[in-house]
Amino acid sequence: MRYADIGRHAPLFKGYTELRVQENSSRSVNLLNGDVIGNSSGSQAGISARAYSHGAWGFASTPESDEQAIAYCVRRAAGNAQNLGTKAKKKHYQFSARPAQAEHDLGTQSPMPDQKTIIDFARNLDAYCAQKFPKLLSRAINLACADSEKTLLSSDGSQSYSLTPRSVLYVSFTMEHDGQPIDLYSIAGGGKRFGQLFSKPEDLYGRMDELYEKLCKKAEGVYARAGTHEVVLGSDLAGILAH
């Protein structure tokens, strides 16, 4: 939920101060062979304040977000900055005021889905996989949605608001080959709301077919011969190794 009218807390500031209110909301469902083994939703919120005094920065935070907690957090940050600055005896710099306003809402095109929607979506995918790939030893489908909302106020009059959503689908297949389990997984999604990324389960059937095909090829693979050889690496693996 968006934090409204954060500007009313400006009178609490003494010297340069920043106040941030943040709330993280999430929904997730985990299926294993068609059984729901995880089903959760919730939110966490809190505030933090950063103040500058006597050449030093002070910080304070709290999981509460009521009026008293905000006032306490701002005073505590200012006190920490003053104590640190007095002891360290650093040079104090005067910041030039450059007020700015910004709003970045990346979730406006689609609301966060309710719990039933993501459960039905995951079950539809699982039913397709169960029918299409009976040779699988196990199949796991995890679907998670999250929102991160941040509201910022600074003593120079700047305000900003951002909402960053994220929706991720994780699918894992396991099959048995020569008495050994072989597994492979695929991840889809990104920094958008669920409805922006996944309109209907049928759109992902092709991805499930591709994952199963790759798993079958992996099961038929052989171990590399020992020794030093020239190899050709795919971009995904090469990037990880270089990093």
Side-chain angles (χ1 to χ4, degrees):
M1 180 181 297
R2 182 168 182 167
Y3 190 86
D5 192 22
I6 193 174
R8 69 181 184 276
H9 301 296
L12 298 172
F13 299 164
K14 294 182 179 179
Y16 182 80
T17 307
E18 298 168 353
L19 172 65
R20 185 178 72 176
V21 182
Q22 180 170 343
E23 181 176 5
N24 298 329
S25 305
S26 64
R27 298 184 186 276
S28 66
V29 59
N30 304 325
L31 267 64
L32 180 62
N33 296 332
D35 295 327
V36 178
I37 62 173
N39 180 16
S40 64
S41 65
S43 65
Q44 292 181 322
I47 61 171
S48 65
R50 189 174 76 142
Y52 182 76
S53 178
H54 295 77
W57 290 97
F59 181 83
S61 63
T62 175
E64 305 294 334
S65 57
D66 55 35
E67 302 293 316
Q68 292 182 345
I70 289 177
Y72 169 80
C73 198
V74 170
R75 289 197 303 268
R76 187 65 180 269
N80 290 340
Q82 184 174 2
N83 290 337
L84 290 173
T86 302
K87 293 179 180 179
K89 297 181 179 180
K90 295 182 178 180
K91 182 179 179 180
H92 180 80
Y93 294 92
Q94 188 67 37
F95 298 146
S96 57
R98 296 178 180 177
Q101 306 290 322
E103 181 168 332
H104 302 282
D105 188 341
L106 303 181
T108 56
Q109 298 181 19
S110 177
M112 177 179 277
D114 57 31
Q115 204 70 13
K116 184 179 185 301
T117 298
I118 63 175
I119 291 176
D120 291 344
F121 192 98
R123 279 178 167 163
N124 185 298
L125 277 181
D126 181 79
Y128 173 82
C129 296
Q131 181 180 7
K132 188 74 178 291
F133 318 123
K135 293 183 179 180
L136 287 177
L137 187 64
S138 70
R139 58 193 187 277
I141 296 179
N142 303 331
L143 185 55
C145 307
D147 280 355
S148 178
E149 288 187 277
K150 301 176 183 178
T151 307
L152 174 70
L153 171 69
S154 70
S155 55
D156 60 8
S158 297
Q159 291 191 37
S160 71
Y161 169 80
S162 67
L163 189 156
T164 305
R166 186 168 182 82
S167 304
V168 177
L169 171 68
Y170 173 90
V171 179
S172 175
F173 291 163
T174 303
M175 67 167 38
E176 189 174 15
H177 182 75
D178 292 337
Q180 298 292 327
I182 308 296
D183 60 78
L184 195 64
Y185 68 88
S186 175
I187 299 176
K192 293 182 180 180
R193 281 273 174 81
F194 176 85
Q196 297 173 273
L197 293 169
F198 311 117
S199 59
K200 54 184 182 294
E202 292 79 3
D203 294 339
L204 295 169
Y205 288 173
R207 194 181 187 98
M208 302 300 102
D209 296 341
E210 182 181 356
L211 178 62
Y212 182 75
E213 182 181 351
K214 289 183 178 180
L215 177 61
C216 292
K217 291 181 178 179
K218 181 180 179 180
E220 297 170 356
V222 297
Y223 288 102
R225 298 190 308 273
T228 302
H229 307 278
E230 291 186 359
V231 297
V232 178
L233 299 178
S235 58
D236 291 344
L237 180 59
I240 292 175
L241 293 176
H243 178 73

